[in-house]
Amino acid sequence: MDASMPHRLELIGITKRFPGVLANDNVSFSVKPGEIHALLGENGAGKSTLVKMIYGIMQPDAGEIVWDGQRTVVANPKAARALGIGMVFQHFSLFEALTVLENIALGMDAKIPARELEARIRAVMTQYGLLLDPHRTVATLSVGERQRIEIVRALLLDPKLLIMDEPTSVLTPQEVEQLFDVLRKLAAGGCSILYISHKLHEIKALCDTATILRGGKLVDTCDPKAETSRSMAEKMIGAGLKDIVRAPGRTMGLPKLVVSRLSTKKSGHFDVPVDSVSFVVKAGEIFGIAGVAGNGQNALLDALSGEILGEDKDAITIDGFPLGLLDTTGRRRHGLCAVPEERNGHAAVGDFTLSDNSILTARNRLGMVVLGLINSGAAKTYTGKVITDFAVKALGPSSTAGSLSGGNLQKYIMGREILQRPTVLVVSQPTWGVDAGAAAAIHQALVDLAAEGSAIVVISQDLDELLALCDTLAVINAGQLSDAQKVGEISVEEIGLLMGGVHGTSEARDAIPA
Amino acid sequence: MQFRLEKRAEPSRFMLYATPVGAVILTMIVGAIIFSLIGYDGIGAVREVFLTPLTNAYKWQDLGIKAAPLIIIGTGLSIAYRANVWNIGAEGQYVVGALAGTWVALATYTMSGPWILPLMILAGVVGGALYAAIPALLKTRLNVNEILTSLMLTYASIQLIYYLIRAQWKDPMGIGFPQTRRFAESAQLPTVIPHTIVHLGVPIAIVVALVAWFIMSRSVFGYRMRVVGAAPHAARYGGFSENKTIWLAMLVSGGLAGLAGVLEVAGPFQRMVPGFATGYGFTAIIVAFLGRLNPLGVIFAGIVLAITFVGGEVAQTTIKLPDAATGIFQAMVLFFLLAGDLLVRYRIRRVVTTPAGAA
């Protein structure tokens, strides 16, 4: 052990085995006090397993966790918090109907009177410039604000190590900057940060050290500022990174998908409807829709896919044919396929085999149904083709969808839709939580589909993805879509402002620290 | 040392089939203990309830005719429950199906011909389906919980029996007994094995279950039911509307309950009587779950529950076990089954804990 510099956290030979998988194989690295340490890796590389062991959710099969120079067993998350380890999860655990204060109080290990807790919350918020009204109901908050609750909750424990799991996937560029300011302040105060992400430029901007995992093994510990994004990505996937290849001299055809004044009714208590959205996508064009989560993206996807039935037949047309009144099955028959953002439970059924999941959307387009009976052989063959063509890591067509990792399931879902050769493909968050290698494969498949003359709509919160992939871009905010702009003619700052709300919503005001 | 539940990567197929068997075995063990504690011959009770119906060949025909309605209703319920449509009013649909069949039998009393029985059966299926259509309509139009409406309609249907057999349908030769006249020959369900009471309903039950199994595993209809139950959001994405599924589930389960009702009234009863509703529709809920919502499993589960019915009667006479004991055994089967279901998705792991934290 290095005696000169006491480590905050040191992992020595951590190994964790699951049935059939070695999730972590002899992983060793250390985090110094005040260091912002990135943990990088593809999906299934073992990042989550590793931090779950640090936070006490799981126990390692072998190896040691050394905390402030002492060998430690972190029995459970409560013990982790007692040691001074805080964690902000990718998916928040908040009650929408309760206030910020009530949510924080519920998550505390110790019972603290509400008045005292509020004073402490306000102190932490002032110290780190985290703006939030403790008495607002969570349902009225943006995703960025909800994340602040989780951060405040972790900071109240005065942590010595804060684990952040993919924290920026739901934030606007401006919100990301604010988050980084908070994290830098924290680090300057001596708190170590373990930052899990796959966004390489963020890691370069924020982190002092990066530990790269691949297939459960530690590949490299490096200085991200001395590396290029590309070199880190290549270490992560263990091979050369492929650029998106576009056919030269590509021309766009005639308008394929025409959406005019598409609106939805407000259905749930907390959802944002679509308000008179119009846009045109030409054959061969990839049309991007940017926006912060919760601004009507879900309603837009459902209205396009047919899950929300329309009332105006001409609100959606393909090659002039009106689809507005058709349901999902009818729209698929006419060439419109869609991929929603939520993979498990929406785009796929976790308990079903992949083969049965293919029947869900491909049964009519690919003739898997004869006289009301399912031709399971055809479904199996098609699923096998999706698995091969999209390099899905699965045992075969009879694996359940729920047994696949997020990235692999996404590859399967994208493959299932793309191989149906749709005339129009609408996808939401095509690469959310998907590793760089898989994301590149999905992007390439979308570009190739467009090159064949399909019109593609990509709804995403990942601006980098949209800028790399799309020909045209529009921004959705509070259910309204901005005018479409050519990618290359609009700056990231302009898009950021549109995402924050050109209408001067509360989100925009809150986004700028007073 | 402590135990912890750990989620399985894939649901265990072994546990899926092992827990129903385990539930029955646990019911026998706990039943023996409970009845011993309250002063009965507990081991004798279990022997009489679960084993005598199997070892005594004379009881097999009783088993057959008790299992038939359970299998038919249980098959319908297993289809509805797959789609998360909770029709628990099968008893009412069973009664209304039987009343519809009775109506045909009485209306054709003076006639004869091979068409009467099929017409009765058709009326029974339609009657059961229509009675199930009420909760379906309320659910799809007004979003009223089908559990409540279907259950409450059961009690209404029983009052309907009382009303009809005391008024229009009362047996003119019945010296004031509130029951209908005995059905004419053409309206009686024939027996299929000579010199026994095994009627046509028994082979019909097996055929219904086999056909349902084929449809559930091979057809788009079965796929629809399974996907709506497993992931309603994904079902909508796949093009299966929720309301249509509710309608289909209620009509199929109600129609099958009606079929069981008409077979029962035309078979063992041969007339409508006040005590016609004997709870098959409720017991079939246990049958559907014990059979893992799979029509093939429902055949076996129907036989197991029929054993408890027949065995309960045996135990009443041989060791003076109260009538309610049958219900207790049946409830225990369901209870242990639901509790055991946890093991399908989770495994129990022993964890060795060491004191937490050195800091």
Side-chain angles (χ1 to χ4, degrees), chain A residues 297-508:
Chain A
Q297 288 97 329
N298 292 341
L300 179 60
L301 184 103
D302 286 353
L304 289 173
S305 72
E307 279 192 59
I308 298 177
L309 283 179
E311 287 166 356
D312 173 10
K313 75 177 165 64
D314 293 316
I316 302 166
T317 62
I318 292 184
D319 290 329
F321 185 88
L323 295 175
L325 298 179
L326 299 178
D327 65 359
T328 52
T329 309
R331 290 187 197 189
R332 279 202 192 96
R333 280 214 173 91
H334 287 94
L336 191 153
C337 291
V339 178
E341 148 186 341
E342 185 67 44
R343 281 158 217 155
N344 211 336
H346 194 177
V349 185
D351 288 344
F352 280 20
T353 62
L354 292 179
S355 205
D356 274 356
N357 271 294
S358 296
I359 295 165
L360 189 66
T361 66
R363 62 186 185 282
N364 293 319
R365 282 183 73 77
L366 299 175
M368 292 178 190
V369 175
V370 183
L371 299 171
L373 294 181
I374 289 167
N375 179 351
S376 53
K380 211 167 214 152
T381 311
Y382 179 65
T383 309
K385 188 172 155 56
V386 172
I387 291 174
T388 320
D389 288 12
F390 280 77
V392 179
K393 278 183 206 148
L395 292 174
S398 31
S399 310
T400 59
S403 69
L404 267 62
S405 73
N408 272 306
L409 185 56
Q410 184 69 0
K411 282 202 277 188
Y412 159 76
I413 292 165
M414 294 297 294
R416 179 184 71 187
E417 302 306 318
I418 288 173
L419 290 183
Q420 294 183 44
R421 299 274 160 245
T423 320
V424 174
L425 179 66
V426 184
V427 295
S428 182
Q429 306 286 11
T431 60
W432 191 5
V434 170
D435 56 73
I442 289 171
H443 287 160
Q444 187 60 50
L446 287 172
V447 168
D448 292 346
L449 183 67
E452 288 174 25
S454 296
I456 296 175
V457 179
V458 180
I459 303 173
S460 176
Q461 289 154 32
D462 185 345
L463 209 46
D464 300 332
E465 165 171 66
L466 292 175
L467 292 173
L469 192 61
C470 301
D471 304 300
T472 321
L473 197 65
V475 175
I476 190 166
N477 179 261
Q480 294 181 328
L481 195 68
S482 74
D483 290 336
Q485 311 242 23
K486 280 227 168 341
V487 169
E489 292 173 11
I490 181 167
S491 72
V492 175
E493 286 68 33
E494 280 177 80
I495 299 170
L497 286 175
L498 286 169
M499 283 163 75
V502 277
H503 321 289
T505 59
S506 63
E507 170 58 25

Side-chain angles (χ1 to χ4, degrees), chain A residues 12 14 20 50 61 78 119 159 164 169 192 209 241 259 276 283 285 373 388 409 421 426 470 473 478:
Chain A
I12 304 167
I14 296 286
L50 196 60
D61 295 335
K78 201 169 171 174
M164 305 278 300
S169 52
S192 307
T209 319
L241 194 64
V259 177
S276 197
E285 180 177 3
L373 294 181
T388 320
L409 185 56
R421 299 274 160 245
V426 184
C470 301
L473 197 65

Side-chain angles (χ1 to χ4, degrees), chain A residues 179-194:
Chain A
L179 173 69
F180 284 7
D181 284 343
V182 172
L183 295 182
R184 287 192 189 103
K185 273 184 203 164
L186 264 171
C191 177
S192 307
I193 292 164
L194 196 54

Side-chain angles (χ1 to χ4, degrees), chain B residues 3 17 44 46 87 125 153 172 185 193-194 213 215 224-225 233 245 275 284 307 341 355-356:
Chain B
F3 292 94
Y17 299 114
V46 169
N87 176 11
V125 171
L153 282 168
E185 193 79 15
I193 303 176
W213 171 78
I215 289 176
R224 160 195 282 272
M225 294 293 153
H233 215 161
T245 308
I307 288 172
D341 268 356

Side-chain angles (χ1 to χ4, degrees), chain A residues 221-232:
Chain A
T221 296
C222 58
D223 175 3
K225 295 189 172 77
E227 299 272 338
T228 63
S229 294
R230 193 183 178 89
S231 67
M232 283 195 289

